[in-house]
Amino acid sequence: MVTVTPLEAELLELAGSVPDPELPVLTLHELGVVRAVRVRGADAVEVELTPTYTGCPAIEAMSADIERVLRGHGIREVSVRTVLSPAWSTDDITDEGRRKLREFGIAPPRVRLASGPVTVQLGTTRTAEDPDGDAVRCPHCGSADTELLSRFSSTACKALRRCLACREPFDHFKEL
């Protein structure tokens, strides 16, 4: 078990407060991508950051923003290290992050009941309420009667959907 010092906990909170560059409604903490902060000397820290997927173009902006925030709080040397294991999952998004996505008009990823790979269904593009409540709900009106318009939206981690009740299009943060 790794012991976290009070300073590391404070710096982790600061690094986690940085807004996500693609979804500024979320902080990096709420997105679940800042894994740890380790003090490496009197004025040096290392931040562990896990991208939402390998090759995520926002990782450079996240790193630069974290460095800027920590340097603004007196840390002279900040290094941000990309950590790929354990891989990031939409399960890492906090409840607060899911609430903020919904309020911003993006359907949050569904909560997965099992760990492991996420199955990709290539069949029907329409979802309706099912016995497990596993439908993608419209963030505008809450209806479960939605359809997939495109498997990719403004970013690779989102799909474009439309609500068949209120007819509004919306992004859905895909489960990973």
Side-chain angles (χ1 to χ4, degrees), residues 17 40 50 65-66 76 86-87 93 116 118 126 169-170 173:
S17 71
R40 297 292 187 212
T50 300
D65 290 346
I66 289 170
R76 281 196 303 221
I93 298 174
V118 175
R126 185 172 176 180
F170 64 92
F173 204 114

Side-chain angles (χ1 to χ4, degrees), residues 5-160:
T5 68
L7 176 59
E8 289 170 333
E10 179 184 344
L11 296 175
L12 179 63
E13 188 174 325
L14 283 169
S17 71
V18 170
D20 177 74
E22 293 180 334
L23 291 167
V25 68
L26 294 182
T27 65
L28 298 183
H29 165 73
E30 292 161 342
L31 188 58
V33 296
V34 178
R35 300 295 186 168
V37 173
R38 310 233 191 284
V39 174
R40 297 292 187 212
D43 286 331
V45 298
E46 178 183 81
V47 179
E48 294 181 359
L49 183 65
T50 300
T52 54
Y53 65 95
T54 305
C56 174
I59 198 81
E60 290 179 27
M62 289 178 195
S63 298
D65 290 346
I66 289 170
E67 288 177 25
R68 186 179 65 256
V69 165
L70 294 182
R71 284 192 180 119
H73 281 81
I75 305 299
R76 281 196 303 221
E77 187 180 326
V78 179
S79 65
V80 179
R81 185 169 63 97
T82 301
V83 177
L84 300 178
S85 181
W88 180 86
S89 161
T90 51
D91 296 341
D92 296 328
I93 298 174
T94 66
D95 290 341
E96 178 71 4
R98 291 170 187 277
R99 182 190 65 75
K100 286 182 175 180
L101 283 171
R102 198 175 303 103
E103 287 178 359
F104 192 64
I106 298 172
R110 294 167 286 192
V111 176
R112 297 182 317 134
L113 300 176
S115 62
V118 175
T119 58
V120 177
Q121 296 176 349
L122 299 177
T124 181
T125 61
R126 185 172 176 180
T127 63
E129 191 66 60
D130 62 18
D132 300 327
D134 196 29
V136 176
R137 294 195 166 274
C138 173
H140 305 294
C141 74
S143 172
D145 196 11
T146 66
E147 67 179 343
L148 180 68
L149 298 177
S150 175
R151 295 196 190 281
F152 296 96
S153 184
S154 57
T155 61
C157 57
K158 292 185 298 226
L160 182 61

